[in-house]
């Protein structure tokens, strides 16, 4: 029996990325789409199959397997080897949890994307209930089976013949709220959250914890709506409302992976102009 390809296996995140790309193939056709990190090239192949122009990049392009497509070496800490505003979309599939400077990475993604460009990020869901319980019990990604981040298990590659950089494992796991705010500060806003698959443990925990999650987040939302009198009500409702809805979203609480579609709505260098200054609270004049 032939082995099922990753992109056809519902247990793999590649299955959901492929489904997303095919559902939106009219948008992607003829577009320049950065695939970073590209890995073995499955997503780049799918992009080519639907008529897009894949631009794969990876810290280790030696492992890229797709013939006819050139994968460039790219270290996110040094920036992507492409000019400003050249890409229509960027897919960062199971990559951001390996980046030591996630804010810097998102700003770099913003730099290379055109206005209204699409950024699709997938990452292990650090916001589901199993992950929350794992962190509570042992600060581990998965309790009873994986140790907390450490120098034995969390270094996935360190080949000094290729690069001086260390390829970290899941040291920098990120939840939906931190991902949202770092993306917002980088010039992106959430367009859509895409549900992938459930984690059974999280489903079993949901009836027990959901009432407390709902009540706790509602109280926090109402209290914070009374703060920041210098901000108008609609702005606070928009920001805190989005945070509240993400906090209580059952699909996020039970999902196996985060799969978030962002849209670039401004250049990252322009974001600071609209931020609320807190310098008075620190005694800075």
């Amino acid at each position: 029996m032939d082995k099922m390809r990753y992109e056809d296996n519902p247990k793999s995140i590649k299955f959901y990325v492929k489904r997303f790309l095919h559902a939106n193939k009219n948008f992607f056709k003829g577009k320049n789409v950065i695939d970073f990190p590209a890995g073995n090239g499955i997503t780049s192949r799918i992009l080519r199959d639907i008529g897009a122009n894949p631009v794969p990049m990876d810290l280790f392009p030696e492992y890229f397997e797709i013939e006819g497509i050139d994968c460039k070496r790219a270290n996110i800490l040094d920036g992507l080897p492409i000019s400003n505003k050249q890409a229509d979309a960027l897919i960062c599939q199971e990559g951001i949890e390996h980046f030591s400077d996630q804010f810097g990475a998102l700003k770099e993604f913003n730099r290379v994307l055109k206005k209204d460009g699409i950024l699709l990020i997938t990452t292990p869901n650090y916001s589901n209930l199993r992950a929350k319980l794992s962190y509570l019990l042992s600060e581990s990604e998965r309790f009873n089976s994986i140790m907390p981040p450490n120098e034995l298990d969390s270094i996935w590659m360190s080949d000094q013949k290729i690069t001086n950089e260390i390829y970290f494992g899941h040291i920098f796991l990120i939840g939906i709220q931190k991902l949202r705010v770092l993306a917002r500060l980088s010039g992106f806003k959430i367009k859509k959250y895409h549900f992938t698959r459930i984690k059974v443990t999280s489903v079993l925990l949901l009836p027990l914890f959901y009432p407390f999650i709902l009540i706790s987040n509602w109280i926090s939302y109402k209290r914070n709506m009374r703060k920041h009198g210098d901000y108008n009500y609609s702005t606070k409702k928009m920001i805190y409302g989005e945070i509240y809805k993400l906090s209580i979203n059952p699909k996020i609480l039970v999902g196996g992976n985060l799969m978030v579609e962002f849209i670039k709505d401004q250049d990252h260098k322009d974001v600071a102009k609209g931020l609320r200054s807190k310098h008075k609270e620190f005694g800075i004049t």
Side-chain angles (χ1 to χ4, degrees), residues 30 42 47 114 123-124 129 133 149 163 166 175 216 223 247 259 269:
I42 290 175
L47 285 165
K114 299 175 183 177
T123 186
L129 290 175
L133 181 60
T163 176
I166 296 173
S216 175
R223 283 180 175 174
S247 297
M259 182 169 169
K269 63 179 181 294

Side-chain angles (χ1 to χ4, degrees), residues 6 32 52 76 86 88 141 147 156 194 224 233 239 254 258:
Y6 286 114
N32 295 325
I76 190 60
Q86 294 296 304
D88 300 285
E141 181 179 352
M147 294 293 289
W156 284 13
H194 297 269
N224 280 273
Y233 181 83
I239 295 172
V254 303
L258 292 177

Side-chain angles (χ1 to χ4, degrees), residues 124-150 153-154 170-173:
N125 186 1
Y126 209 43
S127 293
N128 67 34
L129 290 175
R130 187 182 76 165
K132 292 175 186 288
L133 181 60
S134 295
Y135 189 84
L136 173 67
L137 295 177
S138 65
E139 294 191 27
S140 168
E141 181 179 352
R142 191 160 63 246
F143 61 92
N144 292 341
S145 60
I146 296 179
M147 294 293 289
N150 63 83
D153 306 312
S154 304
H170 291 176
I171 294 180
F172 308 104
L173 287 166

Side-chain angles (χ1 to χ4, degrees), residues 227-236 239 274-277:
K227 294 167 55 177
H228 307 314
D230 54 332
Y231 257 44
N232 63 57
Y233 181 83
S234 61
T235 299
K236 292 192 291 185
I239 295 172
L275 295 179
R276 177 180 183 270
S277 176

Side-chain angles (χ1 to χ4, degrees), residues 2-42:
D2 293 336
K3 185 178 180 180
M4 181 183 293
R5 300 191 304 180
Y6 286 114
E7 66 268 34
D8 296 324
N9 185 352
K11 294 182 179 180
S12 170
I13 188 61
K14 296 181 187 299
F15 173 87
Y16 301 96
V17 172
K18 177 182 178 181
R19 187 172 66 178
F20 167 81
L21 293 174
H22 277 274
N24 295 278
K25 62 183 179 181
N26 290 335
F27 167 81
F28 286 103
K29 187 175 182 179
K31 300 291 178 59
N32 295 325
V33 184
I34 295 174
D35 178 15
F36 175 78
N40 60 8
I42 290 175

Side-chain angles (χ1 to χ4, degrees), residues 128-130 197-207 253-256:
N128 67 34
L129 290 175
R130 187 182 76 165
R197 61 191 179 92
I198 65 171
K199 284 292 185 182
V200 175
T201 304
S202 294
V203 172
L204 295 175
L205 292 170
L206 188 66
L253 293 170
V254 303

Side-chain angles (χ1 to χ4, degrees), residues 173-190:
L173 287 166
I174 185 170
I176 186 64
Q177 299 292 2
K178 185 180 291 186
L179 179 59
R180 174 205 163 273
V181 70
L182 291 181
R184 198 74 193 97
L185 294 173
S186 304
F188 296 100
K189 64 180 179 181
I190 294 177

